[in-house]
Every structure is written in structure tokens, then in C-alpha cells.
Amino acid sequence: MQEEKSSSYKEEKEKTVIKEEKNKNTGKSQLKKDIVIKDNTEDLGEIKIAPEVLANIVSRIVINTKGVVGLVSGSKSGIGTLLGVKETEEGIKVDLINNKTMSTYISVVIEYGSTIIEVAKNIQSLLKKEIEKNTGIAVQSVDVNVMGIQISKKNNKN
């Protein structure tokens, strides 16, 4: 016999479960009450993350990716500026859709000698993993635009 009862004001969070169990010593049946508390948090309001914050996170991840020398920003006085489109972080554009999914466009310079396709794929997978883990926002796409290659200053010491 198992029966569930709910209190009216705590219906979402707490339920009383009554179970019939046999006592091991006497063999008699007895009723046992358990209170089960659900791990549902209350909806206290909306949480919004600004695209600038996401762009900053993206920037830090990309700059620390092996094989990336830097980010490249678009022209400050180009057509994007005339249309009111602004890059939120140097070399990074973030499109946030309903605060649930995001797309990003990144312009990078790759270190000479690195395999370009491997570095770009690494950027994509790292960004998807870190953004989804740390913000809960699903990553729809990560477009990597390789704008150039550069000999790293570390390797250029003669």
C-alpha cells in the first residue's frame, strides 16, 4: 500500500508518502510516513546575461586557446558602424536569441605553424563546452574567421 498526500501550500516542493512496511522483529505491518522534498527551485524572476558579458567570456577562451595569436576587430568606421551594428568585444560578435541560445562570430589570427583547421575546431568545441557549462545558454553556432597568420613572438627570438 502506497499513498501520496500533498499539503496545499507546499504542493510543488513537498509530498508526504505513506508506506506500509513490515517490522523485521515482530513481522507486523506498520505505516511509515516519509516527507519527500523535491529539488525544484522557486522561480524568483528572470536572469539575463548581456551579450557584452558573453563576448568577454568568448574573448578569454579564444585568447587562451593554443595556436591563437590574437583577435582582429573590424573597421571602426565601416558600414557596420553606420548601421548601428557594434562589435561587443574586439574581433567578436555575439547574437543572443531569447536569452536561451547564442551564436558567435570570431575573427582570429593563428600562430604560424599551427594547423588552422585544428585550431578553429578547437575554438569551436571549447567555446561550446565552456559557455554551456558556465552560463546555461545553448550555443547554436561558433563561426571562426581566420584573418591571418603570424609568427609567434616566442618562436621569433634569435
Side-chain angles (χ1 to χ4, degrees):
M1 174 175 135
Q2 188 169 347
E3 177 184 328
E4 290 188 17
K5 293 183 181 179
S6 298
S7 55
S8 60
Y9 70 95
K10 293 184 179 179
E11 190 170 343
E12 291 295 314
K13 294 184 95 182
E14 188 176 292
K15 288 188 178 185
T16 303
V17 179
I18 301 172
K19 297 179 188 175
E20 181 180 71
E21 292 185 354
K22 289 191 176 185
N23 187 324
K24 292 178 184 176
N25 297 331
T26 63
K28 293 183 180 180
S29 292
Q30 63 187 64
L31 297 177
K32 182 179 177 187
K33 280 188 179 183
D34 288 333
I35 296 177
V36 178
I37 298 175
K38 290 184 179 181
D39 193 20
N40 293 345
T41 57
E42 290 184 28
D43 184 16
L44 298 175
E46 207 171 51
I47 299 171
K48 292 185 178 183
I49 301 173
E52 291 82 7
V53 173
L54 294 170
N56 193 293
I57 294 168
V58 168
S59 172
R60 291 171 191 262
I61 294 168
V62 172
I63 288 298
N64 290 311
T65 302
K66 184 179 179 190
V68 174
V69 175
L71 294 164
V72 179
S73 73
S75 170
K76 299 279 184 202
S77 60
I79 193 161
T81 306
L82 293 174
L83 297 173
V85 177
K86 152 184 144 177
E87 287 188 0
T88 51
E89 189 77 19
E90 185 176 323
I92 297 169
K93 293 178 185 173
V94 173
D95 185 21
L96 190 58
I97 305 153
N98 295 331
N99 237 20
K100 294 181 181 173
T101 61
M102 72 166 266
S103 296
T104 186
Y105 181 86
I106 306 158
S107 297
V108 296
V109 175
I110 303 292
E111 181 179 9
Y112 179 77
S114 299
T115 307
I116 294 171
I117 195 75
E118 284 180 20
V119 174
K121 285 183 177 184
N122 196 20
I123 290 169
Q124 290 175 322
S125 64
L126 279 171
L127 276 176
K128 180 172 174 56
K129 177 183 157 194
E130 291 298 316
I131 294 290
E132 289 179 351
K133 177 180 140 193
N134 293 322
T135 67
I137 295 173
V139 176
Q140 184 175 335
S141 68
V142 177
D143 297 323
V144 179
N145 186 20
V146 179
M147 299 295 288
I149 57 171
Q150 180 178 327
I151 297 175
S152 174
K153 292 178 183 175
K154 299 174 209 168
N155 297 336
N156 200 15
K157 294 179 182 176
N158 289 335

